[in-house]
Amino acid sequence: MPVPPRTLLSSTDLHGVRWLRSSYSTGANNCVETARPATGPGAGLLAVRDSKAPSGPALLISPGSWTKFVAALR
């Protein structure tokens, strides 16, 4: 089975996803957004993008890695 890409050049390559922003975000649009693609190159992974560049690149990481990352920030 091929390994999925870990970075997409454009988050618009993820079709039909709902991008979510943290409730802690301010109106200044300085945050990240996450989505959980159900199909396509990111299926089963968590997509992360910069809210200031919604058509820019997206990182694809495992949900477990994201949980560990967020826990390390606290």
Side-chain angles (χ1 to χ4, degrees), residues 22-50:
S22 169
S23 60
Y24 293 104
S25 298
T26 65
N29 213 25
N30 295 328
C31 54
V32 296
E33 296 175 320
T34 60
R36 288 193 152 203
T39 61
L45 298 173
L46 185 74
V48 181
R49 72 178 181 183
D50 183 346

Side-chain angles (χ1 to χ4, degrees), residues 4-41:
R6 293 297 183 177
T7 305
L8 297 174
L9 295 179
S10 175
S11 60
T12 59
D13 291 339
L14 298 171
H15 303 286
V17 298
R18 180 174 174 234
W19 290 96
L20 301 173
R21 190 177 299 178
S22 169
S23 60
Y24 293 104
S25 298
T26 65
N29 213 25
N30 295 328
C31 54
V32 296
E33 296 175 320
T34 60
R36 288 193 152 203
T39 61

